[in-house]
Amino acid sequence: MADSKYLRQIKQGADWWNQWRLRQGEKFGVPDLTGAELSEVQLAGADLKGCNFQRANLRKADLSSADLTGVNFAAADLRDADLSWSVVEGGNFAEARCDRLRWQGAKLRRAQLGQAYLAETDLQGANLKGVCLRGVDFGHRDLRGLNLEAVNLSAANLSTADLTAANLVAANLSGANLTKANLSRAILNRTNLVQANLEKALLDFASAIAANFCQSVLREASAHRTNFGSAVLSGADFTGSNLSGAYLADVHASEANFNRADLTGANLQRFWGHRANFSQAVLRGANLYESSLLRADLTMADLVGANLNGADLGRANLTMADLSQVSAMATKFEQASLHRAILRDTLFLQANLKLANLGLADIAGADFTGAVLLGAVIPK
């Protein structure tokens, strides 16, 4: 129940309220306006710091440019209200009705919005840096260009959402549903995407430097020319995805699945992919200089013209893979299987093929100058 002392004063409008609050000084206390009837109230520019509006009716209220720091709006009705250019840092919107609420220019740092009802809410122009939106439903929403830096969107529903060019630096998207979402040109640097679902998502030209995609699903996603530099992709599923021209240098991707993925022209320098699955993947012209692919599965992979110089493919499975015109100088193939592989015009200069199996491989034009072939099975 609202405290009548505060309710009488706030209904007089912003100027009256601000002056009365100033006169009260230390006697002001914590304004309890629980359940108050304040629909269409005019409080633009009001100092409402710390007010408790829990379950209050604030439909169509004008709270623009107000100071709403630390305000409790839990279960309040804010439908069609105006919070543009207000300061709502640390505000609590749990279970609040925020349908069609206007946020333009609002500062929402550390605000709790995860359980709020945000249907038809226009977030364009709002500063959402550091906001908690855990579990929010933004499916099919237009979130293009939004500043979502350091926002907590864990377990959120963002399926088919448009996040084109959005700023998601250091955001938490762990466990989020991003199926068919548009993240093209989005900034995902240092973003947490652990166990996120990005199946059929669009990430073309996005920047995901040092992002964490551990155990995430990116089946049939498109990440053409995406920058994954120094990202963690361990255990991620890229089955059938488009990674052509992607930058994957210094990436950690142990046990990741790239089955049937298109990595044409991708840069995988110093790529760490122990036990990764590249079976039937297309790696034509890819740069795998000094990459580590110990025990990786490259069965029937297309590596035509790839750079494998200095790479480590010890115990890797390259059965029936096409390594035509590959440069594999000083590359380690110790105990690797190249059974029935196509090695036409491949350069194995100074390569280590100790105990490797090249049985039934096509080695026409291959150059083994200086290679270590101790115990290797070589076709006659």
Side-chain angles (χ1 to χ4, degrees):
M1 196 71 178
D3 189 319
S4 58
K5 177 180 69 173
Y6 296 107
L7 188 56
R8 285 195 304 271
Q9 304 302 327
I10 204 166
K11 285 186 174 181
Q12 304 302 313
D15 290 341
W16 179 276
W17 171 267
N18 288 345
Q19 291 172 23
W20 179 74
R21 179 168 186 158
L22 192 61
R23 290 196 302 270
Q24 292 296 302
E26 294 181 359
K27 296 186 295 180
F28 183 72
V30 179
D32 186 359
L33 293 154
T34 302
E37 175 54 56
L38 294 165
S39 58
E40 300 188 39
V41 69
Q42 300 299 305
L43 291 168
D47 183 354
L48 299 168
K49 289 193 297 290
C51 285
N52 182 10
F53 288 110
Q54 188 172 4
R55 298 192 306 280
N57 182 3
L58 289 154
R59 289 193 69 173
K60 298 184 179 180
D62 186 357
L63 300 168
S64 59
S65 301
D67 188 344
L68 300 164
T69 303
V71 166
N72 182 10
F73 285 118
D77 189 346
L78 287 155
R79 284 176 287 181
D80 299 294
D82 187 359
L83 271 70
S84 57
W85 306 106
S86 60
V87 178
V88 204
E89 296 190 5
N92 179 15
F93 291 84
E95 299 183 5
R97 292 298 303 268
C98 299
D99 312 47
R100 299 175 299 280
L101 182 62
R102 294 187 290 283
W103 302 92
Q104 185 179 8
K107 296 179 180 178
L108 293 155
R109 188 177 180 86
R110 298 188 306 279
Q112 305 293 315
L113 288 163
Q115 295 176 312
Y117 300 94
L118 296 162
E120 300 179 57
T121 300
D122 185 5
L123 293 166
Q124 293 296 335
N127 185 352
L128 297 164
K129 184 176 181 179
V131 170
C132 179
L133 287 163
R134 177 178 171 78
V136 72
D137 186 357
F138 278 159
H140 310 283
R141 294 293 295 275
D142 182 358
L143 305 171
R144 288 175 295 177
L146 278 188
N147 180 8
L148 296 163
E149 183 176 352
V151 168
N152 182 358
L153 283 158
S154 57
N157 178 25
L158 292 152
S159 61
T160 68
D162 191 348
L163 288 149
T164 303
N167 178 9
L168 288 153
V169 171
N172 182 1
L173 285 156
S174 58
N177 180 5
L178 289 146
T179 55
K180 297 183 180 179
N182 187 349
L183 290 151
S184 57
R185 301 187 186 277
I187 305 173
L188 297 159
N189 300 341
R190 305 192 311 281
T191 300
N192 179 1
L193 288 141
V194 173
Q195 296 184 336
N197 187 352
L198 293 109
E199 186 166 3
K200 296 183 179 179
L202 184 63
L203 294 101
D204 294 347
F205 300 98
S207 178
I209 298 169
N212 190 349
F213 289 88
C214 186
Q215 301 293 328
S216 60
V217 176
L218 293 105
R219 288 191 294 266
E220 297 183 42
S222 181
H224 174 66
R225 289 191 174 275
T226 298
N227 186 348
F228 290 100
S230 302
V232 177
L233 308 180
S234 300
D237 186 358
F238 286 88
T239 300
S241 61
N242 176 15
L243 291 155
S244 58
Y247 186 81
L248 293 149
D250 301 300
V251 160
H252 281 249
S254 57
E255 299 185 353
N257 187 2
F258 295 95
N259 173 247
R260 294 183 287 102
D262 183 357
L263 290 129
T264 303
N267 186 342
L268 294 93
Q269 291 186 73
R270 299 175 299 279
F271 182 92
W272 184 275
H274 292 191
R275 298 182 185 275
N277 180 10
F278 286 96
S279 59
Q280 300 181 66
V282 179
L283 289 144
R284 282 188 166 237
N287 183 1
L288 291 104
Y289 175 74
E290 292 188 345
S291 60
S292 185
L293 295 167
L294 289 167
R295 298 179 182 270
D297 184 358
L298 290 118
T299 306
M300 299 178 69
D302 183 349
L303 289 143
V304 174
N307 176 7
L308 291 172
N309 294 336
D312 189 348
L313 288 116
R315 301 196 179 195
N317 186 356
L318 291 131
T319 301
M320 298 179 70
D322 191 346
L323 285 84
S324 300
Q325 301 173 22
V326 161
S327 180
M329 294 187 289
T331 303
K332 298 176 183 176
F333 289 99
E334 190 169 349
Q335 298 186 58
S337 174
L338 290 147
H339 181 69
R340 300 184 68 181
I342 302 172
L343 307 174
R344 287 178 171 269
D345 301 315
T346 301
L347 293 178
F348 288 105
L349 277 63
Q350 308 297 323
N352 182 357
L353 289 144
K354 183 180 179 181
L355 299 174
N357 180 7
L358 284 75
L360 301 178
D362 182 351
I363 60 172
D367 188 345
F368 291 93
T369 303
V372 177
L373 299 167
L374 182 65
V377 177
I378 307 290
K380 295 181 180 179

